[in-house]
Amino acid sequence: MRIFSAVRPTGEIHIGNYLGSINQWIELQEQHDCYFAIADLHAITTPYDKNALKDKIFNLAVTYLSLGVNPDKCAFFVQSKVREHTELAWLIGTIVPVGELQRMTQFKDKSKQHKEYVNAGLLNYPILMAADILLYKAEGVPVGKDQKQHVEFARNAGEKFNKQFGECFPIPEPIIPTNQANIMSLRDPEHKMSKSGDQKGCINVFEEEDSLRKKIMSAETDTGKEIKFDLENKKGVSNLLSIYSAFSKIEIPALEQKYEGKSYAEFKKDLAELLILKLGEIKKKRDSYYKNPDIIFDMLDKGAEKAREKAQKTIEEVKQKMGL
Ligand code: AMP
Ligand code: TRP
C-alpha cells in the first residue's frame, strides 16, 4: 500500500502521541511505501511565530527520527520543500465546492478560536491536505480521529476528479488507531493525555527522570489493591497497564500475572524505571542528532528528493488530464 501522513510542527511530544500516532508510522514504514511530511504550510494557517518556526520543524524532525521514523524506509520531508503540494492544491481547489469547506468542523472551531485571523488558508486547509494525500496517490492515511473528516474530504475530491477528468487517483482510506491506543491522563484517567491538559498527568517523551518518577508514582489509581485491566472500575490502573505493555511489549494478562499480590507502589516503581530506560534510549539518539544537525538536514533533503520524484509525475498527469 502507499501511505501518506503528516504532522504539524507544534510543541512537545508526549507518550500519548508516541503510542497513539507515531508508533503507527513506525510500524507502517516496515511494510508499505510511506511518505511522511512535516506540515509547515498547514502550521501557518493559525497564528505562529515566524522566528520560531524553523526550530520547531527541526525539533520535530529530531523527535520523530529519534522515536524510530527511518529515512531509509520512508520519505520523510518538509512539506514546503516540495512545491508540487501547493500546485496540486490549486488544481484541486478548482473542483471542490466552497460550501463543503465552510462546513468543516476544524474550520469552524479554529475560526472561533482565532477570530482575528480567519484567513483563506484556514478555509482551504482541507484542499492542501487532500493535495498532500492525492499527490502520492496514497491509499492509506494514518490520522487521529479529529482528522477523519479531512480524509473524507480528500476522498470526495479524488472521486470528483476521477469522474470529471478520468481515472487518476486511488480513493484513500483513513487508518485510525483503535480506542485502546488512547493513553489517558495520569491525573484524570477519564480524559486523554494531552499537552493542554494537567501537566502532572502528561509525560513528555523527553521528560526528565525525576519528574517522570514523580508523575508515575502520583498517578491516580483507585482504593482497591488489585493490578487488573478493568476499564469500568479501574481506569487509572488500566491506563498504567496499557503504557507498561506498550513499552515492554509484554501482553497485559502476563503483566497482571506478574503483579498478582504486589502493591501499586511496586508496580508503579517498575513502570517508572521501564520508562526511564526506554525513553533514555530515545534521548540518547536525540542528543547525538543535536550534535550533528547536518545529518538531519541531509535526511530531510533526501526525503524531499524522493517525494518530488513521485509528486512531479502526478502533477504532469493531472495537468494533462485537466487540459493544461
Ligand atoms: P495532538 O497532539 O492532539 O495534535 O495529536 C497528534 C496525534 O497524536 C493524533 O494522531 C492523535 O490521535 C494522537 N494522540 C494525541 N493524544 C493522544 C493520547 N492521549 N493517546 C493516544 N493518541 C493520542
Ligand atoms: N492536518 C493534519 C493535523 O492537523 C496534518 C496533516 C497535513 C495531514 N496534511 C496531512 C495528515 C495529510 C494526514 C494527511 O494533524
Side-chain angles (χ1 to χ4, degrees), residues 1-4 133 136-141 170-175:
M1 240 196 337
R2 187 160 308 113
I3 304 283
F4 182 90
I133 298 166
Y136 301 98
K137 300 196 175 192
E139 296 154 285
V141 186
I171 304 308
E173 289 287 341
I175 305 174

Side-chain angles (χ1 to χ4, degrees), residues 31-292:
Q31 293 193 18
H32 300 282
D33 183 17
C34 292
Y35 292 81
F36 295 136
I38 300 179
D40 56 346
L41 295 171
H42 279 111
I44 61 174
T45 58
T46 41
Y48 72 101
D49 174 1
K50 75 175 164 49
N51 299 315
L53 188 59
K54 278 213 172 90
D55 274 350
K56 282 199 169 166
I57 294 169
F58 179 77
N59 285 336
L60 187 105
V62 168
T63 305
Y64 273 55
L65 291 163
S66 308
L67 290 171
V69 169
N70 183 340
D72 294 329
K73 293 183 175 167
C74 66
F76 183 51
F77 61 99
V78 179
Q79 184 189 30
S80 66
K81 296 279 180 192
V82 181
R83 289 164 199 259
E84 286 76 6
H85 287 255
T86 40
E87 191 170 359
L88 186 60
W90 179 265
L91 300 171
I92 297 285
T94 63
I95 65 163
V96 296
V98 178
E100 215 177 302
L101 294 169
Q102 285 162 332
R103 280 195 296 273
M104 289 282 135
T105 313
Q106 183 177 295
F107 174 68
K108 287 197 264 184
D109 288 351
K110 295 228 160 130
S111 35
K112 257 188 237 151
Q113 218 178 321
H114 307 288
K115 284 203 181 70
E116 72 301 342
Y117 199 57
V118 185
N119 58 86
L122 189 63
L123 179 69
N124 292 340
Y125 188 111
I127 298 179
L128 180 60
M129 187 159 153
D132 292 344
I133 298 166
L134 298 174
L135 191 55
Y136 301 98
K137 300 196 175 192
E139 296 154 285
V141 186
V143 281
K145 263 193 242 135
D146 62 320
Q147 294 297 313
K148 196 170 165 220
Q149 196 183 34
H150 288 158
V151 179
E152 202 60 47
F153 180 92
R155 289 169 60 87
N156 292 343
E159 270 166 9
K160 194 143 183 236
F161 186 97
N162 290 349
K163 237 191 232 146
Q164 217 162 310
F165 299 109
E167 203 55 31
C168 181
F169 300 115
I171 304 308
E173 289 287 341
I175 305 174
I176 314 263
T178 56
N179 271 343
Q180 272 172 332
N182 262 350
I183 300 300
M184 311 312 279
S185 162
L186 301 178
R187 274 309 173 95
D188 171 16
E190 296 283 339
H191 291 102
K192 271 189 10 174
M193 182 177 286
S194 110
K195 290 184 262 258
S196 48
D198 182 351
Q199 282 311 299
K200 291 194 185 111
C202 178
I203 293 184
N204 189 278
V205 288
F206 298 124
E207 189 86 36
E208 292 301 329
E209 289 187 15
D210 279 352
S211 136
L212 190 152
R213 256 190 216 104
K214 265 189 213 135
K215 286 181 180 178
I216 293 286
M217 294 315 288
S218 60
E220 194 182 297
T221 43
D222 53 65
T223 51
K225 277 196 181 136
E226 265 187 315
I227 296 160
K228 272 238 158 291
F229 192 87
D230 172 359
L231 285 175
E232 283 286 300
N233 307 306
K234 294 171 101 54
K235 278 213 169 70
V237 175
S238 303
N239 187 39
L240 295 178
L241 275 167
S242 299
I243 298 173
Y244 199 137
S245 170
F247 277 96
S248 66
K249 306 262 180 325
I250 302 173
E251 300 287 336
I252 288 178
L255 288 175
E256 289 172 336
Q257 219 169 14
K258 178 173 159 130
Y259 287 99
E260 212 181 305
K262 303 233 166 95
S263 69
Y264 285 165
E266 254 174 297
F267 168 63
K268 284 175 166 178
K269 205 160 152 259
D270 286 358
L271 175 57
E273 293 314 312
L274 171 71
L275 288 179
I276 285 168
L277 181 75
K278 295 289 174 184
L279 298 178
E281 290 164 10
I282 295 167
K283 235 188 256 175
K284 258 192 222 145
K285 270 208 216 163
R286 175 197 63 171
D287 295 344
S288 79
Y289 282 135
Y290 274 132
K291 276 190 207 130
N292 300 290

